[in-house]
Amino acid sequence: MAGVLTILVVLLALTLSASVNEGNPLDTTSQVTIDWNTVVAISNTTTTLQVVVNPLLRRESPVHDAMFESLAALQADYTRYVPWLPYPKLAVAELDPPSGTALCKMLSGEEGNNQTVTLSCAAGKISKVDFASFGTPTGVCGDFVLGKCHAQNSSTVVSSYCLGKSTCTIPVNVNVFGEPCVNVVKQFVVQVECDPPMNHTYWDFSVIDPMTEDFMRATPNTRIINFSTIPAWLYKTASRVIYPDNPDREASPGYTQGTDLVDPTGRDLGDYYGRLVSWYTKGGFTDEYGVEHKSNHSYDIQYWECLNEVESEHRNSPESYTKVYDFMVDGIRRHADPDHQIKFVGMALEGHHEYNWYNYFLNISNHASPDIPLDIVSFHFYASCSSRTDPTAYQQFFTRADSFVEECKEIIKIRDALSPHTLLDVDETGVILPGDNSPSAPMFPLVYYNAAGAMYAYLFGRLAEIGVEILGESQLVGYPELPELNLQPQFPSVAMLNWTNGLGNARYHVLKVLIENFKVGDKLVQTSITDSTPQNSTFCGYLINEQVMSMQCYDQNATIDDILFASYGTVQGSCGNYTVGTCNAANSTAIVKSACLGKRSCTVDADTPVFGDPCYGTVKYLAVEAHCSSGQGSASGGATSSVYAQGFTATDGTNHRLLLVNKTPSNASIFVKGAAGAWATIVDDTRPTGPAIGVKLPSNTVEMRPYSVFIIQLQQQ
């Protein structure tokens, strides 16, 4: 039949023929049918990634150059850049508040008491020491208080190093100050005045700029920038929030403390972000006291995302976050974007089924002005599983992905009702294995990266079909404990690059081949998986919600004469042993009987408009066990098949591609009519740390390794 491609799938370990061989389907097979002439959706989905700031991306890192070369090689669009909370010095450009005429410096003591502090009066000399303490002082600049531990000579030492000088450097250690309290972490704080008096701010881009410049250089296409961590001093806290002196050290306890802004009008918060954006887009900014700070940057920032996982950071509610978002938009527009060229991304939600957030945020009447842009809303998805090291457990990623697709459908409904122009961005997509940030966690096998990459490819196909616009893989680099670099674990299972050499693993290469092969505007064509193997007169079908189950008897004179089992819900068991789960549509059997009894073939939509919704918010499946009056029969398996298949054509109807994803730890042999001589791009576990393999297929029978991803260029059959 013109426009129909038949592909046969069987879970067997076969070997590819060495020569081109047209071949025939195996006797025991499943059948994937692609109708190239029937378009089911137009893809608006861009595949991309996020780059989260951490020490391995600093220029001092031994893998810095290789990592940014790998990033540049992707040529991704909508690349997300996130300096974030574990590393305050890598993420916050003004760690301390403006302090008027008082000049203050603080050391946390976490790096040991053998550091230095430099004070400088740019237009005068240090004339007075207001406060100094080597010990356990508390308070903030202008209101410091001595603690129980205090070196009595602190002010004398500072005076000897600094008075009458425009710049001074004070060594901070027990040799200089003595030992005021043994076995206690000692801080050092100092407050001085300048003559003539001058106002002081603490803007510092010296650590932040190099990474940001390198990111901008490696990503010439559209970017989403998210300096997600708000300066702690903008929030009311019980005491001063101490941050590490070492940029590579994680803040402990957490840096994002407090729930209420010091300035409830939000102007201070907006000013901070406005100046931050102006630094990168306008060549600098004017600070709180009217002093100019020049950067010479003139980057084109197309999208600015307002914070990250906002339910956790500062424990926002939909109402409080919406206010913060509006404050940020206002501040950025006042300082850096008067012509309103920058677009904005909101929410970056961590949790799931938080539909109240979408309902509130996407309702423009809840914002400060009708002019507030709602360009994109973002949210996250991380799968997990029951075992860190057992590859069979990685199949659970795909079940989690199915549940997430159902959640996305609900989000789309809300978006379409309230703000249909708003794009949806899943800007963190990945897997976090159990115990990932524990130094004692065992290392996972390399096939894990194939499984996580396969899940990403699977989600791309599923979400392209329903209309999610951006799918960002998370994240460029993570790592286990690296004692030689004094680094604690940072989500090694989320890494796309090898932390020892900066080269891509299977997750990276899956993203790369998706970027290279699929574009916005591609047409998804009708693709289904049907078990065509003659079975007994009794046969089964099982598929996920919003798929169509097709059933047929092979004997031309036979009809479906009995429905032995039917359930739409959370079905348990397997063919011949299905049982009803805790969620079940009571009308399941009656609906399937009405559609199929007395017919040779029939179709049933596995969807709530047909069966009702027996359990809102839960992923539902349709399972059917049926019987033919004579001969044998079969039913479709839908998206729950062990191999996922989706056909794509380019916008002009040419360039036919087939995306195949093996969702299991077993080999899968696939009969593809027309595959002999076709070009295939493959990511599998034979090269877990190498690039994708490009081969001309020698046969219509194609072997897939566990958790492998294939993209096959085909001619329309």
Side-chain angles (χ1 to χ4, degrees):
M1 173 178 174
V4 177
L5 172 69
T6 299
I7 303 160
L8 303 174
V9 182
V10 59
L11 293 180
L12 295 171
L14 299 182
T15 304
L16 286 170
S17 170
S19 60
V20 173
N21 177 13
E22 290 296 328
N24 291 309
L26 301 174
D27 290 337
T28 303
T29 61
S30 293
Q31 178 173 293
V32 177
T33 302
I34 300 180
D35 184 348
W36 295 108
N37 295 325
T38 301
V39 176
V40 296
I42 305 296
S43 174
N44 289 313
T45 304
T46 298
T47 50
T48 185
L49 76 157
Q50 76 156 343
V51 178
V52 172
V53 162
N54 61 44
L56 285 189
L57 291 175
R58 297 186 66 202
R59 290 178 181 171
E60 295 82 356
S61 162
V63 291
H64 167 276
D65 292 354
M67 287 186 168
F68 278 98
E69 287 173 7
S70 294
L71 174 61
L74 289 172
Q75 291 294 294
D77 224 352
Y78 293 101
T79 308
R80 183 185 192 230
Y81 179 66
V82 189
W84 71 316
L85 61 91
Y87 310 101
K89 284 201 169 183
L90 304 183
V92 180
E94 192 179 22
L95 281 164
D96 296 298
S99 59
T101 58
L103 171 60
C104 299
K105 288 292 180 72
M106 293 150 276
L107 289 179
S108 68
E110 292 182 358
E111 296 303 309
N113 301 125
N114 192 22
Q115 300 183 77
T116 61
V117 166
T118 298
L119 301 172
S120 179
C121 294
K125 296 182 179 180
I126 298 170
S127 59
K128 183 180 180 183
V129 178
D130 294 325
F131 185 93
S133 178
F134 178 67
T136 57
T138 58
V140 296
C141 186
D143 193 24
F144 287 123
V145 178
L146 295 177
K148 292 181 179 180
C149 171
H150 169 65
Q152 297 295 328
N153 63 347
S154 298
S155 291
T156 301
V157 169
V158 172
S159 296
S160 67
Y161 276 95
C162 298
L163 285 182
K165 299 178 181 178
S166 59
T167 299
C168 65
T169 298
I170 309 160
V172 180
N173 56 63
V174 293
N175 294 327
V176 173
F177 289 94
E179 177 57 272
C181 43
V182 179
N183 296 327
V184 173
V185 175
K186 289 168 279 293
Q187 302 174 43
F188 176 70
V189 300
V190 59
Q191 177 179 320
V192 301
E193 296 180 20
C194 298
D195 184 24
M198 59 182 296
N199 291 313
H200 299 279
T201 61
Y202 301 92
W203 290 94
D204 185 358
F205 291 88
S206 61
V207 179
I208 296 171
D209 261 7
M211 274 189 301
T212 304
E213 292 165 1
D214 295 341
F215 171 81
M216 294 294 194
R217 189 178 302 112
T219 57
N221 300 326
T222 304
R223 317 173 187 97
I224 297 175
I225 307 300
N226 183 351
F227 278 73
S228 65
T229 305
I230 299 173
W233 52 268
L234 286 170
Y235 278 86
K236 296 177 181 178
T237 56
S239 60
R240 176 170 58 90
V241 177
I242 298 173
Y243 53 85
D245 305 317
N246 184 343
D248 296 343
R249 180 70 65 89
E250 295 187 33
S252 179
Y255 182 76
T256 56
Q257 300 177 36
T259 57
D260 297 322
L261 289 169
V262 173
D263 170 21
T265 71
R267 191 170 182 87
D268 288 349
L269 184 149
D271 286 342
Y272 169 78
Y273 277 100
R275 293 185 175 105
L276 177 62
V277 175
S278 185
W279 176 263
Y280 287 112
T281 62
K282 299 294 184 183
F285 60 84
T286 301
D287 72 16
E288 294 88 337
Y289 298 121
V291 177
E292 289 189 15
H293 298 249
K294 293 184 178 180
S295 69
N296 297 318
H297 296 315
S298 57
Y299 295 116
D300 180 17
I301 294 179
Q302 301 95 336
Y303 289 89
W304 189 273
E305 187 174 37
C306 299
L307 311 185
N308 181 63
E309 297 188 347
V310 295
E311 319 98 306
S312 300
E313 296 185 22
H314 300 291
R315 298 186 295 280
N316 277 289
S317 66
E319 294 79 8
S320 65
Y321 172 73
T322 298
K323 290 180 180 178
V324 168
Y325 175 89
D326 293 354
F327 297 153
M328 290 178 67
V329 170
D330 173 69
I332 290 170
R333 285 181 166 178
R334 282 189 288 107
H335 287 271
D337 187 34
D339 297 327
H340 299 184
Q341 297 300 305
I342 295 175
K343 295 183 178 181
F344 290 87
V345 184
M347 297 204 301
L349 294 179
E350 173 185 24
H352 292 282
H353 307 293
E354 296 180 321
Y355 303 124
N356 60 316
W357 278 80
Y358 301 93
N359 277 307
Y360 189 88
F361 183 80
L362 288 174
N363 186 338
I364 192 61
S365 68
N366 293 322
H367 289 265
S369 164
D371 295 330
I372 292 293
L374 303 177
D375 299 304
I376 299 179
V377 291
S378 56
F379 46 100
H380 300 164
F381 169 70
Y382 288 98
S384 192
C385 61
S386 57
S387 172
R388 183 175 179 83
T389 56
D390 180 4
T392 62
Y394 302 159
Q395 297 174 94
Q396 298 167 25
F397 302 163
F398 300 92
T399 303
R400 306 289 195 276
D402 286 337
S403 179
F404 179 64
V405 171
E406 298 303 303
E407 181 181 351
C408 288
K409 292 175 182 177
E410 295 301 315
I411 294 169
I412 288 170
K413 290 177 184 177
I414 297 170
R415 183 274 308 271
D416 290 349
L418 292 174
S419 185
H421 68 278
T422 301
L423 306 183
L424 301 181
D425 180 3
V426 189
D427 57 11
E428 292 189 28
T429 307
V431 176
I432 298 177
L433 289 175
D436 214 30
N437 274 352
S438 170
S440 61
M443 186 50 60
F444 40 80
L446 289 177
V447 73
Y448 157 75
Y449 289 124
N450 294 92
M455 184 204 74
Y456 180 77
Y458 175 65
L459 268 177
F460 161 67
R462 297 293 312 278
L463 296 181
E465 184 175 355
I466 65 174
V468 170
E469 285 85 6
I470 305 170
L471 181 63
E473 193 170 24
S474 174
Q475 61 189 34
L476 186 68
V477 60
Y479 42 84
E481 183 179 28
L482 299 176
E484 66 278 15
L485 298 177
N486 196 27
L487 296 178
Q488 291 299 299
Q490 188 57 234
F491 298 105
S493 67
V494 183
M496 297 169 62
L497 300 181
N498 185 317
W499 47 81
T500 66
N501 60 22
L503 301 180
N505 57 39
R507 297 186 70 230
Y508 171 92
H509 291 295
V510 166
L511 173 61
K512 193 170 190 295
V513 299
L514 291 176
I515 290 172
E516 292 169 348
N517 285 275
F518 300 103
K519 306 298 180 186
V520 169
D522 285 350
K523 301 172 183 176
L524 286 77
V525 298
Q526 185 170 297
T527 309
S528 61
I529 300 177
T530 304
D531 184 356
S532 63
T533 305
Q535 305 175 7
N536 298 320
S537 296
T538 298
F539 61 92
C540 297
Y542 179 80
L543 47 70
I544 197 171
N545 186 51
E546 295 194 5
Q547 302 286 322
V548 178
M549 181 175 290
S550 300
M551 292 180 279
Q552 65 173 326
C553 298
Y554 290 105
D555 189 330
Q556 290 189 359
N557 297 317
T559 61
I560 298 170
D561 63 358
D562 198 4
I563 301 300
L564 303 172
F565 180 91
S567 175
Y568 176 71
T570 54
V571 187
Q572 304 297 312
S574 57
C575 185
N577 295 289
Y578 286 132
T579 59
V580 172
T582 55
C583 167
N584 173 60
N587 58 357
S588 299
T589 301
I591 287 174
V592 176
K593 283 185 174 181
S594 176
C596 298
L597 286 183
K599 300 177 181 178
R600 184 189 171 203
S601 64
C602 64
T603 60
V604 180
D605 289 341
D607 207 348
T608 53
V610 176
F611 292 94
D613 194 340
C615 44
Y616 179 77
T618 299
V619 178
K620 291 166 280 290
Y621 298 83
L622 174 62
V624 175
E625 183 177 352
H627 184 271
C628 291
S629 59
S630 64
Q632 297 150 334
S634 68
S636 59
T640 56
S641 170
S642 57
V643 173
Y644 170 76
Q646 180 60 59
F648 291 79
T649 65
T651 53
D652 60 1
T654 63
N655 192 7
H656 295 69
R657 286 146 295 150
L658 176 64
L659 172 64
L660 292 174
V661 179
N662 185 355
K663 302 190 292 180
T664 75
S666 303
N667 290 344
S669 293
I670 301 136
F671 183 89
V672 181
K673 185 177 180 181
W679 187 261
T681 303
I682 306 165
V683 179
D684 67 16
D685 65 341
T686 63
R687 300 183 66 174
T689 60
I693 305 166
V695 299
K696 181 178 281 190
L697 297 175
S699 170
N700 281 347
T701 300
V702 181
E703 181 177 314
M704 297 186 74
R705 298 279 301 170
Y707 300 120
S708 58
V709 175
F710 275 57
I711 300 171
I712 305 175
Q713 305 286 338
L714 293 165
Q715 298 296 319
Q716 182 169 332
Q717 302 293 312

